[in-house]
Amino acid sequence: DVVLTQTPPTLSATIGQSVSISCRSSQSLLHSNGNTYLHWLLQRPGQSPQLLIYLVSRLESGVPNRFSGSGSGTDFTLKISGVEAEDLGVYYCVQGTHAPYTFGAGTKLELK
Amino acid sequence: QVQLKESGPGLVQPSQTLSLTCTVSGFSLTSNSVHWVRQPPGKGLEWVGAIWSGGSTDYNSALKSRLSISRDTSKSQVFLKMNSLQTEDTAIYFCTRKLGLWGQGVMVTVSS
C-alpha cells in the first residue's frame, strides 16, 4: 500500500501567517490516465472532514482561495496564505491513485 | 438536499459483526462512489473501503478479510458489514461521497 508521510505533525501559527504542509508519497501518484489523485482535507474539532483541494491543486467549491495545493509525483504541498482562526484543525492528505486509498497521519494546525 | 447519514448500533460485542447503513439523498449511487472512513478516538482517519458507481468494491488491505460493502440502489443505501470485531475497531465511522461530501459519522464501540 502507498504510504503518505505528512510533515510537520504539528504546526503553530499566528493569525495572518502563511504556512505549508508537506505530503510525501512512497510511490508516484501519477495515474496512467494522466491525473494525480492527491487530495487535502481539513477536520475541525468535533466535525466531519471537509475537502479543500482535489487533484493536487483544484480548489473545492466554497473553499477560500487562501488555500492552495501544488506538487507532482511523490511530493505535494498545501499552503495557507494568511491563516485565519477558522483554519485551525487537522489537515490530511489522501491518495486515490493506487488502491487501496490511504491517508497521511495528519498535521494539527494550532494557534501560537 | 444532498446528504449522507450513517446509522447502526452504538455498541457491539467483541467477535460479533458490525452492520452499518449509509442512507444518501440528492444523488444517485449509480453515478457516484461512496466510501467508508473511520477514526478511532483521538486518532487519524483510516480509509475502510468504497463501492464504486458501477458496483465494484475496494477494501483496506488490513480489513479485507473481515469486510463487505454493498448497496441497494432502489433504497439509496450503502451497507458496511465487518465481522470478528475487536476493541481496535472502536471508532467513528463516516460515509462520504467521493471524499467531498461527508455524513456526520456514527460512533461504534466494541466492548462486552
Side-chain angles (χ1 to χ4, degrees):
Chain A
D1 295 358
V2 173
V3 176
L4 297 180
T5 302
Q6 279 187 243
T7 55
T10 305
L11 196 48
S12 295
T14 56
I15 300 299
Q17 183 180 353
S18 292
V19 298
S20 293
I21 299 170
S22 170
C23 178
R24 289 189 171 174
S25 174
S26 60
Q27 57 185 280
S28 175
L29 298 183
L30 176 62
H31 194 277
S32 57
N33 66 10
N35 288 327
T36 299
Y37 296 91
L38 187 283
H39 320 303
W40 291 95
L41 306 169
L42 163 61
Q43 187 176 31
R44 298 184 177 93
Q47 295 187 16
S48 299
Q50 171 193 3
L51 181 65
L52 299 175
I53 302 280
Y54 63 97
L55 296 175
V56 179
S57 60
R58 301 185 186 184
L59 198 65
E60 176 73 348
S61 176
V63 174
N65 61 12
R66 62 179 178 273
F67 291 94
S68 62
S70 62
S72 63
T74 60
D75 288 346
F76 303 91
T77 301
L78 174 72
K79 182 177 181 181
I80 311 172
S81 300
V83 169
E84 297 193 5
E86 65 181 21
D87 300 337
L88 304 184
V90 182
Y91 290 80
Y92 296 93
C93 56
V94 54
Q95 71 82 26
T97 296
H98 304 285
Y101 279 45
T102 48
F103 282 92
T107 295
K108 185 176 183 179
L109 177 61
E110 42 188 40
L111 273 181
K112 189 180 291 183
Chain B
Q1 187 177 5
V2 183
Q3 62 181 9
L4 305 92
K5 186 168 185 178
E6 307 87 348
S7 59
L11 181 66
V12 181
Q13 293 202 341
S15 80
Q16 297 302 301
T17 296
L18 171 66
S19 294
L20 296 177
T21 299
C22 174
T23 302
V24 311
S25 58
F27 65 93
S28 170
L29 293 177
T30 58
S31 305
N32 293 269
S33 61
V34 171
H35 301 240
W36 288 95
V37 174
R38 70 180 183 178
Q39 185 170 38
K43 296 190 176 181
L45 301 173
E46 180 182 31
W47 188 79
V48 174
I51 186 162
W52 306 103
S53 57
S56 62
T57 53
D58 277 306
Y59 300 125
N60 178 308
S61 300
L63 304 175
K64 194 171 185 175
S65 62
R66 303 192 287 133
L67 184 61
S68 173
I69 297 175
S70 60
R71 70 185 185 185
D72 184 334
T73 56
S74 67
K75 294 183 178 179
S76 293
Q77 291 181 322
V78 176
F79 309 106
L80 178 151
K81 289 191 189 303
M82 187 183 305
N83 59 32
S84 304
L85 247 59
Q86 304 299 320
T87 55
E88 308 86 78
D89 296 312
T90 293
I92 299 173
Y93 285 75
F94 298 97
C95 62
T96 166
R97 182 186 73 170
K98 297 191 286 188
L99 303 182
L101 179 67
W102 293 68
Q104 62 188 20
V106 59
M107 181 68 205
V108 174
T109 301
V110 181
S111 174
S112 55

